[in-house]
Amino acid sequence: MALVPCQVLRVAILLSYCSILCNYKAIEMPSHQTYGGSWKFLTFIDLVIQAVFFGICVLTDLSSLLTRGSGSQEQERQLKKLISLRDWMLAVLAFPVGIFVVAVFWIIYAYDREMIYPKLLDNFIPGWLNHGMHTTVLPFILIEMRTSHHAYPSRSSGLAAICTFSVGYILWVCWVHHVTGMWVYPFLEHIGPGARILFFGSTTILMNFLYLLGEVLNSYIWDTQRKPPSWQDVEINFIYMAPSG
């Protein structure tokens, strides 16, 4: 019965993200018809990241079950690669981007919702879908972090990757403004160039902080300092252990 609860949980989370994405894409909103479509919004990009990540988690679980007891070293190597991809994606994208979207959205929303999520959107997006995009990401990713240990990459490569993502998205937002003359987020219209530079710089720093937070939280949950064996090897061994009796 090993891993069955985690498998079911991951499948349920993956299906929920697929449902959220399908419902969001089905909404007829003017912003979806303009340059960049849904891809100019970090919320949508994050939903895709989370769906892909949990898809990889489910694929990893299925692969581990299908290859259990096979004794094939090649299959074990492929499974380790899949686990490494899963761990890298959580560390570099799923955790920091997901937590960033939840935190920044609700902070700005509490200050002045018109700056980030105008009341007009209530006519298009139901409340449950809004929470699906901006709230449930947090408990879902924390559940995943708590149920499975994830080996983080080296700190320098991890920070370089999240910086690349952050700067890439900032450049994309600026390009959309260059093409359309409109900022993706309403509050950017009401601040000066200097304030925008400060905001973009602060968001990049926050992304780096959230990466480090995820690394510390992962270590704290699993107490890696007192468990010297490789957790990927432990997971592989655990996966291949058939229940006795």
Side-chain angles (χ1 to χ4, degrees), residues 158-172:
L159 290 175
I162 191 61
C163 279
T164 301
F165 174 86
S166 301
V167 173
Y169 180 69
I170 290 169
L171 292 176
W172 168 233

Side-chain angles (χ1 to χ4, degrees), residues 199-215:
F199 174 77
F200 289 145
S202 299
T203 57
T204 303
I205 293 172
L206 179 57
M207 281 284 199
N208 281 267
F209 170 77
L210 291 174
Y211 172 87
L212 296 174
L213 176 64
E215 183 181 55

Side-chain angles (χ1 to χ4, degrees), residues 55-201:
I56 293 173
C57 288
V58 171
L59 181 60
T60 302
D61 290 338
L62 287 174
S63 298
S64 67
L65 290 173
L66 292 173
T67 59
R68 176 183 292 176
S70 66
S72 169
Q73 292 185 349
E74 177 60 28
Q75 289 180 337
E76 185 173 327
R77 280 196 296 269
Q78 295 301 319
L79 183 56
K80 285 184 177 181
K81 290 180 181 179
L82 200 55
I83 291 173
S84 295
L85 175 61
R86 179 201 68 185
D87 293 350
W88 182 91
M89 193 160 184
L90 176 128
V92 172
L93 293 175
F95 184 88
V97 178
I99 302 303
F100 178 90
V101 167
V102 173
V104 173
F105 175 83
W106 286 113
I107 288 172
I108 298 177
Y109 186 97
Y111 176 75
D112 182 359
R113 68 168 295 177
E114 295 298 320
M115 296 176 66
I116 189 74
Y117 191 82
K119 195 171 181 61
L120 176 66
L121 292 179
D122 291 342
N123 298 323
F124 299 94
I125 303 176
W128 70 266
L129 185 55
N130 179 29
H131 284 291
M133 297 187 297
H134 298 115
T135 305
T136 58
V137 175
L138 176 60
F140 284 169
I141 203 67
L142 291 179
I143 288 171
E144 170 60 25
M145 183 171 278
R146 180 63 185 87
T147 54
S148 297
H149 179 271
H150 299 271
Y152 267 60
S154 67
R155 182 167 294 179
S156 58
S157 64
L159 290 175
I162 191 61
C163 279
T164 301
F165 174 86
S166 301
V167 173
Y169 180 69
I170 290 169
L171 292 176
W172 168 233
V173 168
C174 292
W175 177 255
V176 171
H177 175 261
H178 172 74
V179 172
T180 65
M182 299 287 290
W183 288 104
V184 173
Y185 303 103
F187 72 90
L188 292 174
E189 299 279 0
H190 304 292
I191 60 178
R196 289 193 201 105
I197 293 173
L198 181 62
F199 174 77
F200 289 145

Side-chain angles (χ1 to χ4, degrees), residues 5-18:
C6 295
Q7 290 171 340
V8 173
L9 197 58
R10 287 166 175 161
V11 170
I13 293 174
L14 174 60
L15 291 176
S16 71
Y17 276 124
C18 291

